[in-house]
Amino acid sequence: MSTPPSYQQPYGQPQQPTPGGPNRPRQGNMLQLLLTMVIFLAIVGGVGYWVYDYNTNPNGGQAKEEAEAVAQHNEDKTHEPQVGDCVKVQDPQGKPVPTIVDCGSAEAEYKTGEVLPGEGMKCGPKFDGIQHTASRGFDYTMCFTKL
């Protein structure tokens, strides 16, 4: 008896895939892909929530930063009196620092009379000798009268 001849594909012909071979997706790859997608969606969702909360939360985020900026701006303005503003002056003998106060309050000591351009300008005789030199982009001298 002779053995049956084994069948071989002719040279140069593509081989047929065998069942369960390399073209079949593996179960492990699907789980890994699903896990990667879940982690990605969790990160995107977390960042999205943080951005939403930052922009809409009235007690934090953008609202808090804006409130702090307004408070800082107002704080800066309390030491920059205009003509007619009442002030209390700390250290009038050295370098005075005027702070704007209500003219009807007991704290009001002086009233801003003139703002002269330039550093070291001399206030006129009608002022009480209290001067404050500062700079807001340019140097100026403020003159005060006693209340």
Side-chain angles (χ1 to χ4, degrees):
M1 282 218 151
S2 71
T3 59
S6 63
Y7 179 75
Q8 287 186 334
Q9 296 235 349
Y11 182 73
Q13 295 290 325
Q15 291 212 348
Q16 299 285 331
T18 57
N23 290 341
R24 181 173 170 231
R26 287 188 241 167
Q27 188 68 18
N29 286 345
M30 291 300 279
L31 288 175
Q32 187 178 16
L33 178 64
L34 182 63
L35 180 63
T36 302
M37 288 177 61
V38 167
I39 291 172
F40 175 76
L41 290 175
I43 291 171
V44 169
V47 170
Y49 176 77
W50 180 83
V51 169
Y52 171 79
D53 185 59
Y54 178 82
N55 289 313
T56 60
N57 187 343
N59 298 322
Q62 187 174 16
K64 184 177 180 182
E65 287 180 7
E66 288 172 359
E68 288 172 353
V70 167
Q72 180 63 38
H73 178 71
N74 290 341
E75 176 66 26
D76 293 343
K77 291 291 185 181
T78 61
H79 297 293
E80 296 181 8
Q82 303 297 314
V83 173
D85 286 341
C86 293
V87 296
K88 67 178 181 177
V89 179
Q90 298 170 341
D91 191 20
Q93 301 303 322
K95 183 176 181 182
V97 178
T99 303
I100 299 172
V101 295
D102 186 351
C103 289
S105 74
E107 289 184 303
E109 301 172 318
Y110 298 94
K111 189 168 195 169
T112 308
E114 282 187 23
V115 177
L116 305 171
E119 184 177 351
M121 300 293 291
K122 297 292 180 193
C123 294
K126 65 181 181 177
F127 298 104
D128 294 321
I130 302 295
Q131 295 186 170
H132 173 67
T133 303
S135 178
R136 277 187 262 171
F138 63 93
D139 293 332
Y140 61 95
T141 301
M142 290 186 281
C143 305
F144 302 98
T145 58
K146 187 101 171 131
L147 291 176

